[in-house]
């Protein structure tokens, strides 16, 4: 049973590259091109083990809203918030959210996912 | 009715009027000079402003009130000449009091002519130090405000820039990773490595801009130096390049520190990049860590306490003593234009200071540089 990842990123090229990389590493990946799309998917029937979301997505729900919705709708999911800003420049992050500084390499992302799921 | 007592206060005598007037003025130094600048008269204003009694100065040249360097450069004579030629000399400048202190003076020199002949000068000096200081303070306040506005504008700009730029760098880095998974070829691997290095340097630049654009607050977390170095050794090695032998000797077992990890990594990478640039023909970089009993040299009256110091040492070109005092200033760089942003070492310095520690720089021309980041060891 592959690990199901919801990957939320509004930068098209970045989304397609990371989705491809994660898929090639054996993950099942559902992409979302902004926060609003992610909220709909989180409220749907698909269950995610991991949610990786960008923080800053103009004209849509931001990463923290996605994280908040995940905590309610999919409490089993681990949430990773990626941002090019530094952690100190973001609002305080909830307990269930892990910070992922951009730029990241997908290997770091894979390691972080495995760490979060407790199977390093 | 011609009483002597009355005659004493009689103001109708012109020369007495003049003497009383001059001697009643205490806010202005009013005095006369002969054509060569020798002081002929003195008044209470002169005494109040400059401190001298009439007996101290009458008969001496007025150039004694000038700053020595200006007197030597011939400014007093030049000012008299200007007054004689142009009919008046008006200026502001620094002058000396008897006790050697300076005051800001508003100076007027008028030539005195009698039958077409220059017989001397009337000299009026006012102490405008307070006004001058108030103006300077106002100017400084305006400059500070401008600087604050500039930093705010830079902050907004860099925030947007960092977001977009980091997205682009993430795409580049991950595409390169995907390429390297698909193409197994030594030549290509080398090119990919070079491109990754460039992407990492780009990431460091945006991080530094962010640090300066926005008043940085640190987010400390538990940091084990040995584990951290193991994590970023490969990245540092890539940044140092092939011509440089980078050795990390950080033993396990040092106390865990509470530091902002991203900033610490940036500081180490900054220092490695500086070392690399100081060794264009190659060399060695040694990274070590140790516990040390020392005191923060930037804080007076502190006693020694335990610190954990991370040192980055190279055998590069080193730097001159006069540069060392300035290397931690923002935007100061000894590198040619295009080679350095001038933000690296000030990030290092700012980060250690903000973390409660200090930065130590030892450098000698031709003998390499060692920079130590010293952080207070946790109290037990």
């Amino acid at each position: 049973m592959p690990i199901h990842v919801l990957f939320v990123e509004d930068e098209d090229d970045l989304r397609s590259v990371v989705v491809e990389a994660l898929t090639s590493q054996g993950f099942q990946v559902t992409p979302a091109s902004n926060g609003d799309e992610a909220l709909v998917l989180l409220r749907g029937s698909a269950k995610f083990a991991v949610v990786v979301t960008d923080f800053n997505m103009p004209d849509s729900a931001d990463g923290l809203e996605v994280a908040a919705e995940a905590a309610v709708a999919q409490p089993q999911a681990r949430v990773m918030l990626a941002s090019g800003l530094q952690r100190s420049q973001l609002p305080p992050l909830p307990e269930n959210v892990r910070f992922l500084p951009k730029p990241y390499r997908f290997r770091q992302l894979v390691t972080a996912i495995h760490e979060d799921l407790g199977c390093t | 009715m011609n009483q002597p007592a009355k005659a004493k206060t009689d103001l109708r005598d012109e020369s007495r009027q003049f003497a009383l007037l001059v001697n009643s003025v205490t806010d202005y130094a009013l005095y006369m000079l002969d054509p060569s600048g020798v002081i002929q008269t003195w008044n209470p204003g002169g005494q109040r402003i400059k401190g001298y009694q009439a007996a101290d100065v009458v008969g001496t040249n007025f150039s004694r009130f000038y700053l020595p360097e200006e007197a030597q450069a011939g400014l007093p004579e030049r000012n008299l000449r200007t007054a004689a030629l142009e009919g008046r000399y008006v200026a502001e400048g620094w002058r000396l009091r008897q006790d050697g202190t300076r005051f800001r003076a508003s100076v007027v020199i008028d030539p005195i002519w009698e039958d077409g002949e220059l017989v001397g000068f009337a000299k009026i000096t006012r102490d405008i130090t307070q006004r001058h200081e108030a103006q300077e303070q106002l100017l400084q306040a305006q400059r500070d405000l401008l600087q604050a506005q500039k930093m705010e504008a830079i902050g907004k700009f860099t925030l947007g820039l960092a977001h977009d730029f980091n997205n682009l760098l993430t795409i580049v880095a991950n595409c390169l990773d995907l390429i390297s998974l698909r193409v197994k070829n030594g030549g290509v691997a080398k090119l990919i490595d070079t491109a990754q290095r460039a992407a990492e340097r780009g990431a460091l630049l945006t991080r530094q801009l962010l640090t300066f654009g926005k008043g940085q607050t640190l987010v400390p977390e538990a940091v084990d130096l040995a584990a951290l170095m193991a994590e970023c050794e490969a990245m540092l090695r890539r940044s140092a390049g092939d011509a440089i032998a980078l050795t990390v000797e950080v033993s396990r077992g040092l106390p865990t520190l509470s530091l902002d990890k991203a900033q610490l990594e940036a500081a180490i990478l900054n220092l490695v990049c500086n070392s690399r640039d100081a060794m264009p023909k190659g060399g060695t970089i040694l990274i070590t860590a140790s516990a040390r009993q020392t005191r923060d040299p930037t804080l007076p009256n502190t006693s020694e306490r335990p610190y954990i110091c991370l040192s980055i040492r190279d055998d590069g070109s080193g730097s001159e003593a006069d540069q060392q005092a300035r290397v931690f200033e923002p935007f100061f760089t000894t590198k040619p234009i295009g080679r350095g942003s001038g933000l690296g070492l000030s990030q290092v310095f700012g980060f250690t200071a903000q973390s409660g520690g200090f930065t130590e720089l030892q450098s000698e021309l031709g003998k390499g540089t060692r920079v130590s980041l010293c952080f207070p060891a946790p109290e037990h």
Side-chain angles (χ1 to χ4, degrees), chain B residues 27 32 64 66 69-70 93 95 102 113 152 163 169 181 192 236 241 252 278 293 295 300-301 305 329 362-363:
Chain B
D27 276 350
M32 281 172 71
R64 67 188 299 168
Y66 283 72
E69 58 271 24
E70 290 184 349
R95 296 290 186 275
R102 289 170 169 214
W113 301 95
E152 199 190 324
H163 173 260
L169 288 171
L181 284 178
I192 290 172
L236 294 175
R252 297 200 174 264
Q293 189 74 16
R295 53 177 292 274
N301 311 321
R305 69 179 307 292
E329 284 174 21
Q362 287 162 310
S363 185

Side-chain angles (χ1 to χ4, degrees), chain A residues 9-18 20-22 24-25 54-58 82-90 99 101-109 115, chain B residues 158-160 162-164 166-171 173-175 177-178 180-182 196 199-200 203 206-208 210-211 214-219 221 238 260 262-263:
Chain A
E9 171 60 62
D10 62 348
E11 172 75 43
D12 292 343
D13 281 344
L14 179 55
R15 190 176 58 253
S16 64
V17 169
V18 175
E20 185 185 338
L22 288 178
S24 75
Q25 297 289 304
D54 190 20
F55 170 66
N56 193 337
M57 291 176 286
S83 176
L85 301 183
Q86 296 185 35
R87 200 171 162 176
S88 57
Q89 289 159 333
L90 299 176
F99 178 67
K102 269 187 185 176
Y104 55 79
R105 314 257 295 258
F106 76 85
R107 275 184 230 281
Q108 285 168 299
L109 183 57
E115 271 175 19
Chain B
T158 49
L159 231 54
H163 173 260
D164 293 352
N166 280 329
N167 269 349
L168 301 179
L169 288 171
T170 313
I171 297 170
N174 285 292
C175 283
D177 278 344
L178 290 177
S180 72
L181 284 178
R182 284 172 203 183
Q196 284 289 15
E200 270 157 12
T206 52
R207 207 182 292 179
Q208 263 151 21
L210 275 178
T211 313
K214 211 159 180 203
Q216 175 81 359
T217 37
L218 301 176
V219 180
E221 54 188 306
R238 251 197 319 274
D260 187 307
Q263 289 290 324

Side-chain angles (χ1 to χ4, degrees), chain B residues 224-299:
Chain B
D224 175 74
L225 283 180
L228 176 93
M229 290 314 299
E231 265 172 49
C232 62
E233 192 175 335
M235 183 263 293
L236 294 175
R237 208 174 289 284
R238 251 197 319 274
S239 299
D242 295 336
I244 286 164
L246 182 131
T247 314
V248 177
E249 283 175 12
V250 177
S251 52
R252 297 200 174 264
L254 286 169
T256 301
L257 299 170
S258 178
L259 294 172
D260 187 307
K261 213 167 144 186
Q263 289 290 324
L264 178 59
E265 281 176 10
I268 299 168
L269 184 54
N270 269 320
L271 292 171
V272 167
C273 289
N274 273 349
S275 291
R276 176 200 63 211
D277 292 343
M279 302 186 291
K281 295 193 182 92
T284 60
I285 296 175
L286 176 63
I287 303 179
T288 55
S290 60
R292 219 201 292 171
Q293 189 74 16
T294 183
R295 53 177 292 274
D296 186 340
T298 61
L299 300 175

Side-chain angles (χ1 to χ4, degrees), chain B residues 63-197:
Chain B
S63 62
R64 67 188 299 168
F65 304 137
Y66 283 72
L67 304 181
E69 58 271 24
E70 290 184 349
Q72 238 163 34
L75 191 63
E77 297 81 13
R78 203 154 62 236
N79 291 349
L80 291 184
R81 220 161 34 238
T82 306
L85 286 173
E86 295 175 11
R88 179 165 238 221
Y89 171 83
V90 184
E92 273 187 23
W94 291 104
R95 296 290 186 275
L96 289 176
R97 297 191 184 97
Q98 187 178 27
D99 61 8
T101 55
R102 289 170 169 214
F103 68 99
R104 187 75 184 170
S106 156
V107 176
V108 180
I109 306 175
D110 286 302
I112 304 170
W113 301 95
E114 214 170 44
D115 302 328
E117 193 192 339
L118 182 71
V119 294
F121 296 93
K123 176 84 169 46
I124 304 167
T125 304
R126 195 153 47 105
D127 184 345
I128 54 162
T129 310
Q130 277 182 333
R131 192 184 81 195
H132 181 74
E133 277 170 1
Q135 280 172 343
E136 282 294 301
Q137 274 170 7
L138 186 66
L139 267 178
Q140 188 57 43
Q142 285 169 337
R143 276 195 290 262
D144 288 349
L145 182 66
L146 195 69
Q147 179 67 10
Q149 285 170 336
K150 205 162 72 186
M151 290 315 276
E152 199 190 324
I154 291 178
K156 280 188 186 145
F157 168 72
T158 49
L159 231 54
L161 182 115
H163 173 260
D164 293 352
F165 203 61
N166 280 329
N167 269 349
L168 301 179
L169 288 171
T170 313
I171 297 170
V172 171
N174 285 292
C175 283
L176 289 168
D177 278 344
L178 290 177
I179 294 170
S180 72
L181 284 178
R182 284 172 203 183
V183 185
K184 300 291 175 200
N185 171 312
V188 173
K190 205 163 179 261
L191 290 175
I192 290 172
D193 226 34
T194 308
Q196 284 289 15
R197 188 155 64 224

Side-chain angles (χ1 to χ4, degrees), chain A residues 61-98:
Chain A
D62 69 17
L64 279 178
E65 290 170 75
V66 172
E69 183 61 34
V72 175
Q74 308 238 356
Q76 80 289 346
R78 311 293 309 204
V79 181
M80 256 171 255
L81 186 77
S83 176
L85 301 183
Q86 296 185 35
R87 200 171 162 176
S88 57
Q89 289 159 333
L90 299 176
L93 302 184
E95 281 285 308
N96 68 326
V97 175
R98 177 173 175 147

